[in-house]
Amino acid sequence: MMKKDGAAMADGSEYTGKYPQHVTRQDLVDFHTKKTQALLDCKPDGLAVETIPNLEEIGVVCQVLRDLQEKQESPPVACWISMACRNGKELNDGHSIQDALEVIRTFDSDGRWIAAVGVNCCDSVHIASLVQTLADACSNYSLSRGIVVYPNSGEAWDATHGEWKDGTGTTDTEFADRLMEVVELVERICKKRSAQEEGVGVPKVVLGGCCRTSDQTIAALRRRINAWNEQSN
């Protein structure tokens, strides 16, 4: 998996993608086209375009992924787009995640160019609400697109002292439990829809951890996944 570079604010606040006024949409298209083409030329198995904080840039990324892959003779690369969200309903720039999903569907209505969508680097307390919106969209449009979810630790940053605040954030067990709750949520939503309408399946769900999660966090998640698989069988 090859990964694009990211950006952060100097004061530790969440990045919103608020560019200077002289930066046009075409500037963003050119920027992402150059980097994405370089990555696609390496023939990766997959491409994660992640932590996208605003609506316009989501549209730009969708356009670039579609246009570049349409020109390729080889099959499309499995690409996902994951969004940075400030709460359970909104991107970091304040637009709704529902608006973002509509933009993605406008550029790729059937999941040909964008294999999965999701959220990352947000507090895990928000993921149930966000994933419900993602699962509803997949089931409503009978999409085969997967769902990716990899929140951060939820710790608070002390910009004055340049350090993370002790006692903030979630425990590894809570983190793992919240992620498994969204797996069950996706399954429940999509199975309910499939009982009402043919062609609706349960999408693949990719789980992980973003900033300040650790190998212990992932180990706790792995144990919960193993337990869930045993119960399902």
Side-chain angles (χ1 to χ4, degrees), residues 115-131:
V117 296
V119 293
N120 77 289
C121 213
C122 60
D123 194 321
S124 62
V125 298
H126 303 314
I127 61 174
S129 175
L130 293 166
V131 170

Side-chain angles (χ1 to χ4, degrees), residues 48 50 80 82 119-122 148-152 179 206-210:
E50 59 180 10
W80 81 50
S82 62
V119 293
N120 77 289
C121 213
C122 60
V148 294
V149 189
Y150 48 118
N152 58 36
L179 283 173
V206 178
L207 303 177
C210 201

Side-chain angles (χ1 to χ4, degrees), residues 161-218:
H161 297 95
E163 60 186 15
W164 296 97
K165 295 181 180 178
D166 290 337
T168 62
T170 185
T171 67
D172 292 339
T173 299
E174 289 172 334
F175 183 93
D177 287 346
R178 287 170 180 167
L179 283 173
M180 293 311 299
E181 285 171 5
V182 303
V183 172
E184 295 170 355
L185 177 64
V186 170
E187 186 176 53
R188 188 163 59 249
I189 290 172
C190 293
K191 283 187 174 181
K192 179 179 180 181
R193 185 75 177 182
S194 66
Q196 302 168 344
E197 182 180 340
E198 291 185 4
V200 177
V202 178
K204 292 181 175 64
V205 179
V206 178
L207 303 177
C210 201
C211 299
R212 299 286 292 175
T213 58
S214 67
D215 53 347
Q216 288 88 358
T217 310
I218 302 306

Side-chain angles (χ1 to χ4, degrees), residues 136-158:
D136 284 340
C138 286
S139 64
N140 287 341
Y141 299 120
S142 301
L143 286 176
S144 59
R145 236 192 293 271
I147 294 175
V148 294
V149 189
Y150 48 118
N152 58 36
S153 67
E155 291 172 87
W157 175 253
D158 184 343

Side-chain angles (χ1 to χ4, degrees), residues 26-228:
Q26 188 58 48
D27 289 333
L28 293 176
V29 171
D30 294 342
F31 172 84
H32 283 290
T33 297
K34 180 179 179 181
K35 290 180 175 290
T36 303
Q37 184 64 70
L39 293 174
L40 291 176
D41 287 344
C42 296
K43 303 187 183 306
D45 295 323
L47 182 63
V49 188
E50 59 180 10
T51 329
I52 306 298
N54 72 30
L55 191 66
E56 181 177 41
E57 196 156 14
I58 287 171
V60 166
V61 168
C62 290
Q63 177 185 331
V64 169
L65 290 175
R66 180 198 65 187
D67 291 353
L68 289 181
Q69 295 193 93
E70 277 184 332
K71 299 174 184 177
Q72 294 187 150
E73 295 181 0
S74 56
V77 172
C79 300
W80 81 50
I81 293 176
S82 62
M83 299 165 278
C85 298
R86 66 184 187 182
N87 54 41
K89 297 180 180 297
E90 298 173 326
L91 304 173
N92 282 355
D93 75 344
H95 284 93
S96 73
I97 190 173
Q98 186 64 53
D99 288 342
L101 294 174
E102 287 298 323
V103 168
I104 293 171
R105 195 166 71 91
T106 297
F107 284 95
D108 184 23
S109 61
D110 59 4
R112 182 180 183 188
W113 311 117
I114 301 163
V117 296
V119 293
N120 77 289
C121 213
C122 60
D123 194 321
S124 62
V125 298
H126 303 314
I127 61 174
S129 175
L130 293 166
V131 170
Q132 178 164 351
T133 303
L134 295 173
D136 284 340
C138 286
S139 64
N140 287 341
Y141 299 120
S142 301
L143 286 176
S144 59
R145 236 192 293 271
I147 294 175
V148 294
V149 189
Y150 48 118
N152 58 36
S153 67
E155 291 172 87
W157 175 253
D158 184 343
T160 302
H161 297 95
E163 60 186 15
W164 296 97
K165 295 181 180 178
D166 290 337
T168 62
T170 185
T171 67
D172 292 339
T173 299
E174 289 172 334
F175 183 93
D177 287 346
R178 287 170 180 167
L179 283 173
M180 293 311 299
E181 285 171 5
V182 303
V183 172
E184 295 170 355
L185 177 64
V186 170
E187 186 176 53
R188 188 163 59 249
I189 290 172
C190 293
K191 283 187 174 181
K192 179 179 180 181
R193 185 75 177 182
S194 66
Q196 302 168 344
E197 182 180 340
E198 291 185 4
V200 177
V202 178
K204 292 181 175 64
V205 179
V206 178
L207 303 177
C210 201
C211 299
R212 299 286 292 175
T213 58
S214 67
D215 53 347
Q216 288 88 358
T217 310
I218 302 306
L221 177 59
R222 179 73 261 178
R223 289 192 293 272
R224 288 287 285 108
I225 292 172
N226 290 343
W228 188 81

